[in-house]
Amino acid sequence: MARMTPSEAFVETLVANGVTKIFGIMGSAFMDAMDIFAPAGIELIPVVHEQGAAHMADGYARASGRHGVVIGQNGPGISNCVTGIAAAYWAHSPVVIVTPEAGTMNMGHGGFQECNQLPMFQEFTKYQGHVNNPRRIAEYTARCFDRAMADIGPTQLNIPRDYFYGDIDVEIPQPQRLDRGPGGDASLDQAAELLAGARFPVIVSGGGVVMADAVEECRAIAELLGAPVVNSYQHNDSFPASHPLWCGPLGYQGSKAGMKLISKADVVLVLGSRLGPFGTLPQHGIDYWPKQAKIIQVDADHKVLGLVKPISVGICGDAKAAAVALAARLRGRELACHGNREQRTAEIAAEKATWEKELDEWTHERDPYSLDMIAEAEAEEGNWLHPRQVLRALEKALPEGVMVSTDIGNINSVAHSYLRFEKPRSFFAPMSFGNCGYALPTIIGAKVARPDRPAVAYAGDGAWGMSMSEILTSVRHDIPVTAVVFHNRDWGAEKKNQVEFYNRRFVAAELENESWAGIARAMGAEGIRVDQLDEVGPALDRALDMQMSSGRTTVIEVMCTRELGDPFRRDALSKPVRYLEKYKDYQ
Ligand SMILES: Cc1ncc(C[n+]2csc(CCOP(=O)(O)OP(=O)(O)O)c2C)c(N)n1
Ligand SMILES: [Mg+2]
């Protein structure tokens, strides 16, 4: 036990958990603790808007595997974080949000910046620690850090602002980290039995493989079975793209090769995925999920086993440990799939080649609306590029070891087909919360965690407007990143729904923008405008060179036609029905 103030106990517990960076905006509510951040070795990185801080903490956590930490002023500083924490929740990021609260002597009186801060995060946190007595501040702080790791998601530490003051006797708790195992023997035995009898096994490599650092173990079992490996939705970095067994991502704008192959599976091994509903929807007109197949699902969270898709075996275990345990059970055994290995290898190679060829030839969208938009662009002043060609050119120019974040939007979703990675912790998409404005702040957080890696954000012009002010953060605090903005003058993703379901009746779908490159320059970054296809790769090369060698942030604005890929809510929209006379033309 040592005598200290609660501020000191709080900061010392952060130190015990290895915290060196916190994202947020300063405020009086936690000024007493903030005052000793620097001598504790902690840097508070000030952002433009607290939503950005929460996304940065998420990006930091996703890139490093460590906690991301965010803090803000009680009331509005904290409510600004809700969207960012919701996104981190669905990205399964161990983010700790520290929420200093109104003082206990005023709470309930309707004071300045007073609000009840627990309910607004209830839905998006794995645990909420409320410091109910200043003497317990270290205990609650430590628990929030432990639970964020154990439950793989955000936790909230709520501290009444007067509880930073006083004298307490306290021992700083040491971090408690779970030693995760492979799951129960019975379920592992059952799974091994199914895999041994499988003639066409397929592996789904999910986010759990990235988080458990299990790519090598996943690869070992894939090679043992000769099984194609597909990435779960938005986890394109969960298996090396250069590997012959890699078949690309499932889900919206995913790989046809992967979809066709999994549709033939008799046994699917799902490693580290909750099989989220959006991620397994039919795509490209292919209803690929193999309903007759036996499904083995491995996840660290038992609550997601069998939740969305019926399964034959659920294994509550760590993806890495479970892959090792399954491989050990299969090695040296006679496996049914060894009988047709060559045939399957050939089939995998053929499907992949067909899909690559299709992507190469798919230079622009061909639906009637997109063809109209392409014709319109040709008649217009200026040169407008086909998004798919831009995405292919970017793909070719992305360097080894790159980290890429994407946003929510039509072009960003089409990008899923063109984003391939060799290493885990490389791809940061907005996952199931699906908020526009995710990509830039998230890549800034990732860059703070990994300054040695090139960092690139993709965003549509709509989403960019929501988030671009964080360019100021990157410039002010020397966190160089490269952003690619697809300037198509539309809230395209939603507009495509109006094309498909609302007879091209556009409501609030169009955006007339100023020059994004010019705005970037005004914020102190470099700005490059690209309207020739052969300039796309060189622009990215130049921006990355400036990022890595002179610490410069660059915004590359790519002028794109208004053509749009397949809409993303086919599953949830239907043609309008109108009964009232005044709306009869609206169907
Ligand atoms: C915060 C938030 N607001 C609204 C939406 C609904 N929404 C989804 S995609 C989209 C359009 C995105 O437009 P843009 O960023 O320009 O990309 P594009 O689709 O044109 O490629 C909108 C408004 C959302 N996902 N998130
Ligand atoms: Mg747009």
Side-chain angles (χ1 to χ4, degrees), residues 408-412 434-436 460-464 466 488 490-494 511 564 568:
I408 289 287
N410 191 278
I411 301 177
N412 275 256
N435 63 295
C436 290
D461 43 8
W464 182 248
M466 285 188 203
N488 67 353
D490 277 323
W491 295 99
E494 296 293 4
L511 292 164
L564 291 165
F568 70 154

Side-chain angles (χ1 to χ4, degrees), residues 204-211 218 230-233 235 238 270-273:
V204 177
S205 182
V209 169
V210 174
M211 291 167 219
C218 176
V230 296
N231 310 107
S232 70
Y233 181 57
H235 285 294
S238 63
V270 181
L271 265 184
S273 173

Side-chain angles (χ1 to χ4, degrees), residues 40 58 63 68 97 99 107 174 225 250 299 308 325 363 368 381 408 411 423 441 446 491 541 551:
D58 181 7
I97 175 161
T99 61
M107 199 61 182
Q174 286 311 297
L225 298 169
L250 294 183
D299 202 278
V308 181
T363 50
E381 211 179 295
I408 289 287
I411 301 177
K423 285 200 256 177
W491 295 99
D541 288 345

